Amino acid sequence: MSARPTTTHGGAESPVIEARGLVKRYGRRAAVDGLDLRVEGGEIFGFLGPNGAGKTTTVRMLLGLARPSAGSGRVLGRRLGDPEARRAVGYLPENVHFPAWFTGLGFLRYHGALYGLSRRVVAQRAGEALERLGLAGRGDDHLRTYSHGMLQRLGLAQALLARPRLVFLDEPTSALDPRGRRDVRELLDELRRDGTTVFLNSHLLSEVERTCDRVAVVANGKTRYVGPTNPDADATRELDVRVSDLPVDVAGTLAGLARVKRADGDLLRLELLHPDAAPTIARRLVDAGARLHELRPVRRELEDLFLELTGAPATGDGVGASGGGTGPDTPAPGLTARRGDLGRLAEADGQTNLNRQTRRGRQAEPGDHQASPDGQAQLAGHAEDDDQAGPDGQAEPGDQAEPDRDADAAPGNARTHREVTP
């Protein structure tokens, strides 16, 4: 595939995502409070923040699954929620909920039909996607036999099925083992080369550092930082120095150049008074009779920046929690075991809702029922049942949102789901 141009207006290149002063209120509580954001075409953009910072709510507004209480935004040059923009968007939510009776191929065919793809195109792309994501040979197996990591891979295949220009990925590697994470990193590199823009929501800071071009850090519904993953790449603030035969008066030797922050045997941590002082420090130590073994700049990592801006630790930065295989009678996490439990398919993570709204070319209305490609009745409503805001930005009577609604749970998990039995 060739690289695709960014949306333009009047000949000028415009951002793929732009948000200005976005606000989302649930009653008196602002889950998002004046958030500003700009994502350029073809970049992998990390979206970071502690639980409850407003990340999921922001993504839902950008996808058109929730309406802002105030502020404005555009995705692919169109207003938030515009069906034409959604046609070019892929989405993988954090908590996937797939019916256990689907096969892998059947699930992709279903979403391909929602995207409006022909059967021939879906068959070709589905096979390619399953092979690329390590699911070759499992396409005819029912999802009840998939592990959580396999379900996450299948969700990623769905998000990329329509060759979108913009992909939203919410914790795409949280359930994967190290090999799976490497596969996803390689896939993201391919998307970057193809010109696809990736909006990556993750707590795994080590993965974000290795993958993203830029990041935004949000806290309390506001943007705290937007910039490179290594903001101090060109600035050295501290040095680790391993040295023996130190002079008695180390502080005097380094006067005007550095301050000793910590001394542990032959290892010194120095705080530089000038960013270019390292060569002079090395010369002074040697001139004073010391034997210099190592001098290494200390770089501030993304985790340090995260803690500084949010005051909270980043969670979940461990080895993937991919579960083992599940038996036919025990659905893996993310599965809905009963064939009649279609409300969760339609709503639990917003994924099918987004594709269905794209297919229909309008917002889902409460109570709408759609027929799926295989003839099963589907529940299409409530994409915004708990997100409607009045003219003054206050939640309408009947809102069921709770104060902790945005604690990065998948949209819809707090709802009561109605079942539609075929």
Side-chain angles (χ1 to χ4, degrees):
M1 294 181 290
S2 59
R4 290 158 291 188
T6 306
T7 304
T8 59
H9 292 286
E13 191 173 271
S14 64
V16 170
I17 298 174
E18 187 173 26
R20 295 182 179 180
L22 275 187
V23 175
K24 181 61 183 177
R25 298 189 184 94
Y26 295 106
R28 296 183 178 179
R29 174 183 174 269
V32 177
D33 189 14
L35 184 138
D36 297 315
L37 201 61
R38 182 184 174 100
V39 180
E40 305 297 339
E43 69 175 335
I44 300 179
F45 188 87
F47 196 50
L48 310 176
N51 289 336
K55 301 190 303 299
T56 296
T57 299
T58 299
V59 170
R60 295 186 69 210
M61 286 191 287
L62 294 176
L63 288 170
L65 297 174
R67 292 192 295 191
S69 304
S72 63
R74 301 182 75 85
V75 171
L76 296 172
R78 295 180 177 272
R79 61 175 178 78
L80 301 183
D82 188 296
E84 286 303 314
R86 284 205 298 263
R87 294 181 193 278
V89 171
Y91 175 40
L92 172 66
E94 177 181 6
N95 297 318
V96 292
H97 296 274
F98 303 150
W101 44 266
F102 261 134
T103 65
L105 281 172
F107 174 78
L108 294 179
R109 292 189 190 107
Y110 174 79
H111 280 274
L114 291 176
Y115 278 121
L117 303 177
S118 69
R119 291 185 179 183
R120 180 184 59 81
V121 170
V122 171
Q124 177 184 350
R125 293 184 183 179
E128 293 173 354
L130 291 176
E131 182 175 0
R132 177 65 182 83
L133 290 164
L135 295 176
R138 298 300 304 268
D140 293 327
D141 295 342
H142 287 89
L143 301 192
R144 65 172 59 93
T145 67
Y146 281 34
S147 70
H148 191 33
M150 293 170 66
L151 291 173
Q152 198 162 32
R153 290 170 182 258
L154 183 66
L156 185 56
Q158 175 276 144
L160 301 176
L161 190 63
R163 307 280 171 85
R165 294 175 53 198
L166 169 63
V167 185
F168 288 86
L169 302 179
D170 197 347
E171 299 289 358
T173 61
S174 61
L176 301 182
D177 58 23
R179 172 66 178 269
R181 291 186 183 182
R182 186 182 68 178
D183 290 344
V184 171
R185 284 197 301 270
E186 292 175 353
L187 179 60
L188 294 180
D189 285 339
E190 292 177 12
L191 293 175
R192 179 194 283 117
R193 290 193 295 270
D194 182 51
T196 303
T197 305
V198 178
F199 191 92
L200 178 63
N201 183 0
S202 179
H203 281 133
L204 303 179
L205 300 187
S206 60
E207 291 293 319
V208 170
E209 282 187 302
R210 299 176 69 173
T211 304
C212 294
D213 302 301
R214 293 191 306 136
V215 297
V217 179
V218 297
N220 299 320
K222 296 180 181 292
T223 309
R224 303 298 184 186
Y225 169 83
V226 178
T229 59
N230 52 345
D232 298 329
D234 299 325
T236 300
R237 297 182 178 182
E238 296 181 347
L239 290 177
D240 277 341
V241 180
R242 191 164 63 87
V243 61
S244 59
D245 298 333
L246 275 171
V248 176
D249 185 13
V250 177
T253 301
L254 301 179
L257 297 175
R259 181 177 66 86
V260 180
K261 290 188 64 176
R262 184 171 65 247
D264 183 11
D266 61 355
L267 183 63
L268 301 177
R269 170 66 60 86
L270 304 179
E271 180 182 357
L272 302 187
L273 302 180
H274 307 287
D276 56 352
T280 307
I281 289 173
R283 185 171 63 252
R284 281 198 187 179
L285 288 172
V286 173
D287 289 346
R291 299 178 63 189
L292 182 61
H293 301 283
E294 182 182 15
L295 189 150
R296 183 178 67 253
V298 177
R299 303 296 189 192
R300 186 169 61 153
E301 297 181 350
L302 184 58
E303 181 179 19
D304 300 321
L305 175 66
F306 183 96
L307 295 174
E308 177 184 319
L309 294 173
T310 67
T315 60
D317 197 7
V319 177
S322 176
T326 56
D329 298 324
T330 305
L335 289 177
T336 56
R338 292 179 295 168
R339 189 177 182 89
D341 194 7
L342 299 176
R344 293 179 66 82
L345 170 65
E347 291 188 40
D349 52 41
Q351 177 184 40
T352 302
N353 235 344
L354 180 70
N355 292 348
R356 182 178 292 110
Q357 291 173 22
T358 300
R359 173 73 168 171
R360 296 162 68 190
R362 63 178 179 86
Q363 295 284 0
E365 298 294 339
D368 280 357
H369 291 73
Q370 282 294 97
S372 70
D374 61 0
Q376 300 297 329
Q378 301 292 319
L379 179 65
H382 310 302
E384 299 179 11
D385 279 4
D386 63 347
D387 295 308
Q388 304 297 338
D392 59 354
Q394 296 298 323
E396 296 288 355
D399 278 6
Q400 299 300 316
E402 298 178 1
D404 294 330
R405 172 65 183 276
D406 183 55
D408 285 351
N413 280 357
R415 295 194 190 97
T416 300
H417 299 291
R418 293 183 290 170
E419 293 187 2
V420 181
T421 305

